[in-house]
Amino acid sequence: MMPGPQSSLDAAGSAARVTGHLLWLFVIPLAIIFVIVVAIAVVAIFRKHRESGRPAVETERGLTRMVTGASVLTCVILLGLIAVSVSTGKAISDRAMPRNALTIEVTGNQWWWSVRYLNDDASLIVTTANEIHVPVGRPILIRGVSADVIHSFWVPGLIGKRDLIPSRVTTEWFTAEREGNYRGQCAEFCGLQHAHMAMWVVAESPARFQAWMNAQLGDSANPVTPAEQQGQKVFLEHACALCHTIRGTTANGQVAPDLTHLASRLTIAAGTLPNNRGNLAGWITDPQSIKPGNHMATVPLAAEDLHPLLDYLGSLR
């Protein structure tokens, strides 16, 4: 595995760094044991069989002592690895809520991620999809839930895997240690498009994060040009508005990603495609050819309606 945007060997978060240490605590001793066992097997296969000259009873006792010693050593190693693993899990999960912690609720859906930044003040709750922004150096609590089947939230560079189970809430902590874009994905098979259920976590400076948060708190941009105005009309008069929300309009659907600030996101279709005009056009006109089995309806659009709709969606920053 090479370091990169989705690699547990390229740790950029506190939780990922702890689990990275655990990885090497498993890999190094087990690799040494593997080499020793293979070496013994090779020697046993190729050596010439010679009579030891010792009585059979003495030989049997010697073998018994060797097997017993190896069994005891194996148990000690396994118990040690279990203890280290459990200790690491508790270190990641069991911690008191810091005063400056940011709580983010992540909901797994087939096959996309709903993201809410929780706040005691309802007016400061931010809702987005498939992309998480976090400030560097600030503790982040991920509150994981599932809307349908079992999913697993996993961003290798920042945090380990945690299952999202229907009717249960799971929690895990991490702190991003450096800026960057970190790819994550669902790590539990959840249906036909499991492989296309990805996300990006954007770790940025506190100032840039606050600017992003302030922008997300606002309603959608009002259409300015005639094309954008026509595009908004197309969106609101078609089935799009029944599934999606665009704050500041009458679109208030709750079963699909919030599109209020769609144009500010890196990708569309849960990390499947880069967010650009061409990909958005293909996704709108024929989503099943890109992500077969997904729950987005194919909405019939007249040719003259598509480009204004793209202009409008492209203005939602």
Side-chain angles (χ1 to χ4, degrees), residues 28-45:
I28 293 174
L30 295 180
I32 293 172
I33 293 171
F34 175 78
V35 171
I36 293 173
V37 171
V38 170
I40 293 173
V42 170
V43 170
I45 291 171

Side-chain angles (χ1 to χ4, degrees), residues 64-89:
T64 300
R65 286 194 294 269
M66 289 177 59
V67 171
T68 301
S71 299
V72 171
L73 180 60
T74 299
C75 290
V76 170
I77 292 173
L78 289 177
L79 289 174
L81 293 176
I82 291 172
V84 172
S85 179
V86 171
S87 175
T88 300

Side-chain angles (χ1 to χ4, degrees), residues 174-225:
F174 76 95
T175 301
E177 297 174 344
R178 67 172 186 264
E179 296 184 36
N181 298 339
Y182 302 94
R183 190 178 187 274
Q185 65 182 62
C186 180
E188 180 79 24
F189 181 73
C190 56
L192 181 62
Q193 286 301 321
H194 162 69
H196 289 148
M197 187 174 170
M199 79 198 82
W200 284 92
V201 177
V202 180
E204 52 198 357
S205 67
R208 291 184 62 185
F209 169 77
Q210 193 58 53
W212 175 86
M213 180 69 80
N214 292 340
Q216 296 294 310
L217 285 169
D219 288 340
S220 61
N222 291 320
V224 177
T225 68

Side-chain angles (χ1 to χ4, degrees), residues 12-279:
S14 55
R17 194 168 303 283
V18 171
T19 54
H21 293 159
L22 180 65
L23 170 66
W24 291 116
L25 283 174
F26 270 71
V27 168
I28 293 174
L30 295 180
I32 293 172
I33 293 171
F34 175 78
V35 171
I36 293 173
V37 171
V38 170
I40 293 173
V42 170
V43 170
I45 291 171
F46 289 102
R47 75 175 181 177
K48 292 181 179 180
H49 296 281
R50 297 189 299 271
E51 292 293 332
S52 65
R54 292 185 298 173
V57 174
E58 184 179 342
T59 300
E60 185 175 345
R61 287 175 179 172
L63 289 174
T64 300
R65 286 194 294 269
M66 289 177 59
V67 171
T68 301
S71 299
V72 171
L73 180 60
T74 299
C75 290
V76 170
I77 292 173
L78 289 177
L79 289 174
L81 293 176
I82 291 172
V84 172
S85 179
V86 171
S87 175
T88 300
K90 290 180 67 65
I92 294 174
S93 301
D94 298 344
R95 57 182 291 190
M97 174 81 77
R99 288 187 177 181
N100 65 332
L102 178 63
T103 302
I104 303 175
E105 183 180 80
V106 177
T107 303
N109 305 269
Q110 290 179 310
W111 291 274
W112 61 282
W113 304 93
S114 174
V115 180
R116 287 203 313 154
Y117 290 74
L118 302 185
N119 197 294
D120 292 337
D121 184 345
S123 66
L124 298 179
I125 293 176
V126 165
T127 302
T128 183
N130 304 316
E131 188 170 303
I132 302 172
H133 287 240
V134 298
V136 171
R138 183 175 177 183
I140 307 297
L141 173 63
I142 298 294
R143 185 179 186 274
V145 296
S146 172
D148 35 53
V149 300
I150 297 176
H151 300 279
S152 186
F153 180 80
W154 184 39
V155 186
L158 296 173
I159 195 169
K161 299 175 185 175
R162 182 60 57 96
D163 284 350
L164 310 185
I165 302 171
S167 75
R168 290 186 58 186
V169 176
T170 59
T171 58
E172 56 183 338
W173 291 90
F174 76 95
T175 301
E177 297 174 344
R178 67 172 186 264
E179 296 184 36
N181 298 339
Y182 302 94
R183 190 178 187 274
Q185 65 182 62
C186 180
E188 180 79 24
F189 181 73
C190 56
L192 181 62
Q193 286 301 321
H194 162 69
H196 289 148
M197 187 174 170
M199 79 198 82
W200 284 92
V201 177
V202 180
E204 52 198 357
S205 67
R208 291 184 62 185
F209 169 77
Q210 193 58 53
W212 175 86
M213 180 69 80
N214 292 340
Q216 296 294 310
L217 285 169
D219 288 340
S220 61
N222 291 320
V224 177
T225 68
E228 291 173 1
Q229 293 169 357
Q230 175 62 20
Q232 185 187 63
K233 182 179 178 182
V234 170
F235 185 94
L236 296 177
E237 291 181 352
H238 286 75
C240 317
L242 300 177
C243 296
H244 295 280
T245 289
I246 297 181
R247 295 194 307 276
T249 73
T250 57
N252 195 33
Q254 301 297 313
V255 297
D258 187 307
L259 302 182
T260 305
H261 299 287
L262 170 66
S264 68
R265 297 173 193 162
L266 298 172
T267 64
I268 58 174
T272 304
L273 299 169
N275 188 4
N276 58 50
R277 187 181 179 91
N279 286 335

